[in-house]
């Protein structure tokens, strides 16, 4: 794997972790999956995948 590819993977992983934390925090605050999706600018299906974990 090239250095650029590796850094791209690291950035993607970091972004995924940040999104998961934000989704779980908002969910814990009582927001609906639809509200979270809108606030995070992601599809509801992605929010549902995170919340199910």
């Amino acid at each position: 794997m090239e250095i650029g590819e590796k850094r791209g993977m690291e950035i993607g992983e970091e972004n995924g972790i940040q999104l998961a934390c934000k989704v779980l925090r908002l969910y814990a605050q009582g927001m609906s999956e639809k509200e979270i999706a809108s606030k995070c600018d992601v599809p509801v299906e992605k929010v549902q995948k995170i919340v199910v974990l």
Side-chain angles (χ1 to χ4, degrees), residues 17-32 35-36 39-40 47 50-51:
I17 291 169
Q18 288 176 353
L19 175 62
C21 289
K22 186 174 184 180
V23 166
L24 292 173
R25 182 173 33 83
L26 294 172
Y27 188 74
Q29 291 175 0
M31 279 189 142
S32 72
E35 290 171 321
I36 296 168
K39 188 165 184 84
C40 295
V47 171
I50 293 170
V51 171

